[in-house]
Amino acid sequence: MKIFLLVCFFAITSNAGAQNIDSLLPVRGFCISAPRPAELARFVTFINEELAPRKINTLVLRVDFNYQYISHPELRDPGALSKEDVMQLVQTCRQHGIRLIPQINLLGHQSWAGTTHNLLRVYPDFDETPEIKMPAKYEWPNKDSLYCKSYCPRHPQVHKIVFDLVDEICDVFQADAFHAGMDEVFYIGSDKCPRCKGRDKSVLFAEEVNKIEAHLKTKNRTLWIWGDRLIDGKETGIGMWEGSFNGTHRAIDLISKQVVICDWHYERPDKTAVYFAMKGFNVITSLWRNPGIAVQQKQDMQDFRAHSALEMKERFRGVMQTVWSDVTAFLDGFYQNSKDSDNGNNTPWASFTTIFPK
Ligand SMILES: [Zn+2]
């Protein structure tokens, strides 16, 4: 009888522990590039041995063109993931109860430095600013204020193609949510775009968000985006990267409240999650490579949940570790516990292990 009661006690306490962490932080996320096929086995091991024991329950994989799309083979990267590769990821995540969410950058981030990505390379007509040529040697800042190219959200053919990709990648990932990126959109409503010139940039941005959200909703999928375009970067002092300088921030009052906001701040633990929650959005604070800031962001999220009205509490969904290198660079740094360039610990792996201990 004593043994039976002891077993019951442990069962109850361990169950209470699980409930407790879900109550403190319902979403415990990790976001990284999807692995290339050669990195797949190592990444699956990382999911099994590191993400799952650290109770990560949401994995956002930035796929973009790293998949052998059947709907648009012309947009595949060379050496992209196969369907069988993705099934390994799906099955591994399912074993651990990890929600797998694919990402394709929509609207912005259609180029990087001097490289045009597949969509605009194959379909140059979709370019919002075709008059701006890619430089031989990329530098920031530059005379064109070129950070990344965007597609024109009012081009009549663009959505047919990008929604084919979105549907296909969500099907193969068996996903009930899709992350569309939509961060750092500097080129929008160009004065030289015949379809967009003179239009309110916040309306253009909101129309694009709502169009993607409505498309996903027809298949019972939820849209996730980064939050920076919805923050007034000037008024808040948050700046032109983590906030908007081109007027898109007013879109916060024009987009569907069903959109999940990944609110990223890497230099300070800005409290903008409260802003999004007060506007009616589910919000996830996204952190990067400073463990001290990350600890504060995690604590803030728990405090927001503890000290808010019931209506707001459940909108504070949790925190997500973001990684902006590829899988190889991250895993090398993680397993070697590499220092940063100042021989310190401002690294994404140090942040990750601090926020999500085993
Ligand atoms: Zn346009």
Side-chain angles (χ1 to χ4, degrees):
M1 188 64 176
K2 273 182 185 166
I3 290 173
F4 173 74
L5 288 173
L6 204 60
V7 168
C8 287
F9 172 76
F10 279 120
I12 290 165
T13 51
S14 112
N15 193 32
Q19 284 173 349
N20 193 35
I21 191 166
D22 284 335
S23 171
L24 283 173
L25 289 173
V27 173
R28 302 173 298 278
F30 190 85
C31 170
I32 193 168
S33 297
R36 296 281 164 181
E39 302 163 316
L40 183 62
R42 194 177 178 213
F43 189 66
V44 166
T45 301
F46 178 73
I47 295 173
N48 286 328
E49 296 183 356
E50 302 298 337
L51 293 187
R54 294 173 194 277
K55 300 186 173 57
I56 295 293
N57 63 4
T58 305
L59 176 58
V60 174
L61 287 183
R62 298 194 301 274
V63 180
D64 292 311
F65 305 103
N66 177 19
Y67 179 66
Q68 295 177 26
Y69 291 101
I70 294 168
S71 59
H72 290 282
E74 76 280 12
L75 293 172
R76 296 174 180 175
D77 283 342
L81 291 167
S82 67
K83 189 171 186 179
E84 291 69 32
D85 292 334
V86 173
M87 284 312 298
Q88 277 195 56
L89 293 166
V90 170
Q91 286 164 1
T92 304
C93 287
R94 183 169 294 157
Q95 282 170 14
H96 299 297
I98 296 174
R99 187 185 188 190
L100 188 54
I101 300 176
Q103 179 183 321
I104 301 171
N105 275 318
L106 299 186
L107 192 57
H109 274 271
Q110 301 303 322
S111 70
W112 181 251
T115 303
T116 305
H117 292 326
N118 303 14
L119 183 72
L120 295 191
R121 205 179 61 241
V122 177
Y123 298 102
D125 287 355
F126 295 166
D127 193 339
E128 174 70 8
T129 55
E131 73 283 1
I132 293 175
K133 302 302 173 199
M134 299 303 285
K137 184 175 181 300
Y138 180 84
E139 289 177 327
W140 179 267
N142 57 71
K143 66 176 172 44
D144 294 322
S145 297
L146 169 64
Y147 178 56
C148 297
K149 289 264 191 175
S150 305
Y151 66 65
C152 172
R154 293 178 59 81
H155 191 288
Q157 270 95 48
V158 71
H159 293 103
K160 169 74 178 77
I161 290 176
V162 298
F163 286 167
D164 283 347
L165 301 183
V166 169
D167 291 348
E168 187 176 349
I169 209 65
C170 286
D171 285 347
V172 71
F173 273 75
Q174 303 179 24
D176 63 0
F178 170 78
H179 200 307
M182 304 190 80
D183 55 322
E184 300 170 331
V185 181
F186 292 178
Y187 284 171
I188 185 169
S190 165
D191 290 340
K192 293 188 176 154
C193 176
R195 295 168 294 268
C196 298
K197 66 181 173 187
R199 290 181 179 268
D200 185 322
K201 291 176 171 54
S202 65
V203 174
L204 286 168
F205 187 82
E207 285 175 348
E208 183 63 5
V209 172
N210 287 337
K211 186 170 284 193
I212 300 164
E213 196 271 337
H215 177 79
L216 289 166
K217 196 191 291 181
T218 63
K219 304 194 176 190
N220 294 319
R221 289 169 177 147
T222 305
L223 173 61
W224 290 33
I225 63 172
W226 303 115
D228 51 274
R229 293 308 90 189
L230 303 173
I231 294 169
D232 184 338
K234 288 179 187 163
E235 191 69 33
T236 58
I238 283 174
M240 64 181 286
W241 303 96
E242 299 186 16
S244 170
F245 269 26
N246 60 5
T248 58
H249 57 278
R250 285 177 286 107
I252 197 168
D253 292 317
L254 305 174
I255 68 172
S256 165
K257 306 291 186 195
Q258 303 305 309
V259 177
V260 175
I261 306 297
C262 298
D263 177 40
W264 60 278
H265 296 289
Y266 298 158
E267 309 296 329
R268 283 179 313 271
D270 292 296
K271 316 299 181 199
T272 44
V274 176
Y275 177 60
F276 287 110
M278 289 182 75
K279 289 284 187 180
F281 294 97
N282 281 347
V283 59
I284 296 160
T285 295
S286 304
L287 43 99
W288 186 27
R289 62 179 179 181
N290 185 312
I293 295 172
V295 165
Q296 185 64 53
Q297 288 170 311
K298 180 181 174 186
Q299 186 61 51
D300 283 345
M301 184 53 65
Q302 294 175 183
D303 288 347
F304 297 151
R305 288 180 62 77
H307 303 144
S308 296
L310 274 179
E311 286 81 354
M312 287 245 291
K313 173 180 171 170
E314 285 308 317
R315 294 180 197 150
F316 294 107
R317 300 306 298 158
V319 296
M320 180 161 73
Q321 173 71 50
T322 63
V323 175
W324 296 101
S325 62
D326 62 18
V327 166
T328 303
F330 176 80
L331 293 183
D332 286 352
F334 176 83
Y335 285 112
Q336 295 161 17
N337 195 21
S338 303
K339 300 290 184 185
D340 63 31
S341 56
D342 296 323
N343 204 31
N345 280 318
N346 285 333
T347 61
W349 40 90
S351 167
F352 168 60
T353 53
T354 303
I355 295 300
F356 299 115
K358 275 186 178 171

